[in-house]
Amino acid sequence: MAKHEHVRVAVIGSGFGGLGAAVRLRREGITDFVVLERADSVGGTWRDNSYPGCACDVPSHLYSFSFAPNPDWPRAFSGQRHIRAYLEHVADTFGIRPHLRLGHEVMRMAWDEEGFKWDIETSRGSFSADVVVSATGPLSDPKIPDIPGLDGFTGKVFHSARWDHDLDLTGKRVAVVGTGASAIQIIPAIQPKVGRLTVLQRTPPWVMPRVDRAISGAERWVHRQLPFTTAARRGVLWGIRELQVSAFTKRPAVLGMVERLAKTNMAKSIKDPALRAKLTPSYRIGCKRILLSNAYYPALAQPNVDVVAAGLKEVRGNVLVASDGTETEADVIVFGTGFHVTDLPIAARVIGRDGRSLADHWKGGMESLRGATAAGFPNWMTIIGPNTGLGNSSMILMIESQLNYLADYLRQLDVLGGRAALAVRPSAVGAWNRKVQARMERTVWAGGCESWYLDANGRNTTLWPGTTGEFRRETRTVDLAEYEVLRAPAAPAAARRAPRRKESAK
């Protein structure tokens, strides 16, 4: 076990959010911090998701930090391998390695009211910190539904985020459960080699073409020689997506034209009317995440693929039974069923001032101020917190906005001086979330479809109902009126008195 270590800031997680926080701390002149990571390397979701075909659905030059532009992206939409390499490069370039504590899974973190610090227990030792930045991310803990009989399945079972690379799928009967962002990449990647592929689809997604291409050597040379061209490219990509936001947040009816384009895209590859009917969604496009693929529909049209328009109900040996009664035999089950997004497992490990966990505080739904701070948890902040997700742009933009808020939060603590803490007022959290939820009612995400954006109560506690520019303005600075300033309890008088020296005998 490692010895106890106290730091000014403890960052949890080393994906985009954690590494971004670490870089920002160093740029603010703060070097007394650690990054606690449960895995053996950095990368977050781009380390964990290594399934065949894994790639980003946001353009490369927008899916990277503004302070760490990459002129050498090989494609317009980059694959997992290149994004993970980029994050490793960020860790090296900005000197984050000495701060990393790999293999340190956080088991519990609790606010010590008397010591005025966070006590953190990890799988490899204990830490304490004045401030905690939780950057575990919403796409870090896979969700596999509780399926009767699954434990008795005679073949291999795994989640898309825990891909079994030792397993050869050649000639095997494979069932993919789910048709979300991961599944539509996996299906075309494995279809040519498997013997039989069964897709269990609970709800069909809307799929648009992915306008991907290789970035030429000449383009990359220009970006290296003239860095402003990389920034300009990023700016154009950002601007286009900002203009699209109003269709999602204010005028969902205009998305009907996009639906027609999506149906045309489907018709090019799916000639069978019965299959086309299975694949046509009944909800407004955008209500669930719009997926991008040029290969998904062609793969589904192949003779070794069956689409079952129903979810998995139970497993009997090696027989999978869908909710519509369809039975199919399989050697392998791959779950593309998403993550614990609205019920974050880390929340059960965070203990606040009143001795209750964050999960307990969030039983009625996740709530925070500006997606960052939660009532009852002083000097604790989350990156990619409640209502900071996006349906059409790059999460890196939201992360960088939250890093601005983190930097000002730490500056305010410096100005306050002494042993101080900021505790967000419940009234401020409530006012912020009422405003967010009121705006959410006008959006396409309130269109009645079932999606991972919604919590158990049907509230969208995941997405931001506005532009990234709006969010950046809302998180530029910390408003101290929204916080209570806490001061560490004074030490007992006896402890403050210096010990008196014994007088020499006369």
Side-chain angles (χ1 to χ4, degrees):
M1 296 286 283
K3 65 179 181 179
H4 181 85
E5 184 177 355
H6 179 80
V7 292
R8 184 180 180 195
V9 183
V11 179
I12 318 299
S14 67
F16 267 101
L19 290 180
V23 171
R24 189 57 183 265
L25 290 173
R26 287 187 60 86
R27 295 177 76 187
E28 293 291 317
I30 298 170
T31 56
D32 183 18
F33 70 90
V34 293
V35 179
L36 302 174
E37 169 56 58
R38 67 184 178 184
D40 59 2
S41 62
V42 303
T45 192
W46 294 104
R47 173 200 59 234
D48 297 341
N49 287 270
S50 58
Y51 57 79
C54 184
C56 189
D57 59 2
V58 175
S60 303
H61 288 88
L62 194 58
Y63 200 78
S64 46
F65 291 119
S66 63
F67 54 78
N70 178 16
D72 288 312
W73 288 116
R75 300 196 65 84
F77 291 84
S78 288
Q80 175 264 345
R81 180 169 60 91
H82 294 105
I83 297 173
R84 184 179 180 185
Y86 170 77
L87 289 170
E88 295 280 1
H89 173 73
V90 168
D92 290 331
T93 300
F94 291 91
I96 306 304
R97 298 287 180 190
H99 302 277
L100 291 173
R101 302 294 183 269
L102 301 176
H104 284 68
E105 181 176 3
V106 172
M107 312 307 294
R108 186 177 189 271
M109 61 178 102
W111 174 251
D112 177 358
E113 190 79 7
E114 185 175 339
F116 227 60
K117 58 184 172 55
W118 282 94
D119 291 324
I120 306 168
E121 299 172 13
T122 80
S123 56
R124 294 181 60 183
S126 63
F127 296 79
S128 57
D130 299 328
V131 177
V132 167
V133 180
S134 181
T136 57
L139 305 182
S140 56
D141 291 284
K143 179 189 291 185
I144 292 182
D146 185 14
I147 305 295
L150 184 60
D151 290 344
F153 181 64
T154 55
K156 288 278 190 177
V157 179
F158 51 88
H159 191 277
S160 60
R162 301 291 184 267
W163 194 267
D164 186 349
H165 289 280
D166 294 328
L167 178 64
D168 183 4
L169 296 179
T170 303
K172 287 188 165 50
R173 299 169 298 179
V174 180
V176 175
V177 181
T179 51
S182 298
I184 75 155
Q185 295 179 341
I186 293 168
I187 288 165
I190 68 173
Q191 174 271 319
K193 68 165 60 175
V194 303
R196 194 81 201 163
L197 179 59
T198 300
V199 179
L200 289 110
Q201 169 196 272
R202 190 173 60 176
T203 308
W206 285 105
V207 181
M208 293 289 287
R210 188 168 180 230
V211 189
D212 189 21
R213 65 174 181 83
I215 297 177
S216 69
E219 288 175 90
R220 283 180 273 168
W221 182 87
V222 169
H223 289 328
R224 284 194 300 272
Q225 300 303 313
L226 302 171
F228 75 88
T229 62
T230 306
R233 187 172 189 158
R234 176 187 175 89
V236 169
L237 292 168
W238 169 78
I240 291 171
R241 278 153 182 77
E242 290 290 274
L243 291 174
Q244 294 171 347
V245 171
S246 64
F248 290 85
T249 61
K250 296 177 182 178
R251 293 183 290 275
V254 305
L255 290 168
M257 180 179 66
V258 183
E259 285 184 9
R260 289 192 289 275
L261 292 174
K263 288 178 179 178
T264 301
N265 177 52
M266 183 196 304
K268 289 178 182 177
S269 301
I270 306 299
K271 305 303 182 184
D272 179 4
L275 179 57
R276 205 158 52 233
K278 286 182 181 180
L279 300 176
T280 302
S282 59
Y283 55 88
R284 172 66 75 197
I285 193 169
C287 187
K288 294 165 67 79
R289 188 175 181 92
I290 301 173
L291 307 182
L292 305 180
S293 177
N294 300 324
Y296 179 61
Y297 287 140
L300 296 184
Q302 298 306 307
N304 68 331
V305 179
D306 293 314
V307 176
V308 177
L312 180 59
K313 181 182 179 182
E314 65 174 307
V315 177
R316 302 172 188 160
N318 70 335
V319 176
L320 280 57
V321 183
S323 58
D324 66 354
T326 302
E327 296 185 5
T328 184
E329 294 186 0
D331 305 309
V332 181
I333 303 176
V334 178
F335 281 96
T337 45
F339 300 84
H340 290 277
V341 175
T342 59
D343 56 342
L344 300 173
I346 190 68
R349 305 183 185 190
V350 185
I351 311 301
R353 296 181 72 187
D354 60 2
R356 297 163 58 213
S357 71
L358 182 61
D360 194 28
H361 278 259
W362 281 354
K363 274 185 178 178
M366 299 190 301
E367 288 190 340
S368 67
L369 175 64
R370 304 178 194 278
T373 52
F377 298 82
N379 281 6
W380 183 92
M381 183 177 295
T382 183
I383 305 294
I384 316 184
N387 290 115
T388 60
L390 295 175
N392 74 310
S393 192
S394 173
M395 280 305 302
I396 313 307
L397 301 168
M398 302 296 278
I399 288 172
E400 290 196 30
S401 293
Q402 292 198 289
L403 298 183
N404 291 339
Y405 197 75
L406 168 63
D408 197 55
Y409 190 101
L410 294 170
R411 291 187 207 113
Q412 296 291 349
L413 289 175
D414 284 342
V415 170
L416 290 169
R419 298 175 63 203
L422 292 176
V424 64
R425 299 181 186 276
S427 58
V429 174
W432 172 261
N433 282 277
R434 284 192 296 274
K435 181 171 74 171
V436 169
Q437 291 302 321
R439 292 185 63 178
M440 197 68 72
E441 292 176 2
R442 300 176 56 190
T443 69
V444 69
W445 306 303
C449 69
E450 183 179 344
S451 75
W452 59 269
Y453 300 149
L454 308 181
D455 64 16
N457 303 307
R459 280 202 320 159
N460 190 329
T461 57
T462 305
L463 297 183
W464 167 244
T467 66
T468 62
E470 286 178 285
F471 189 76
R472 176 153 295 200
R473 290 191 293 274
E474 293 281 9
T475 53
R476 196 176 302 280
T477 58
V478 170
D479 181 358
L480 283 181
E482 296 178 324
Y483 289 86
E484 177 187 359
V485 177
L486 307 179
R487 294 287 181 180
R496 292 199 305 268
R497 285 198 299 267
R500 298 172 64 184
R501 290 186 301 171
K502 293 182 179 179
E503 296 183 9
S504 57
K506 292 184 179 179

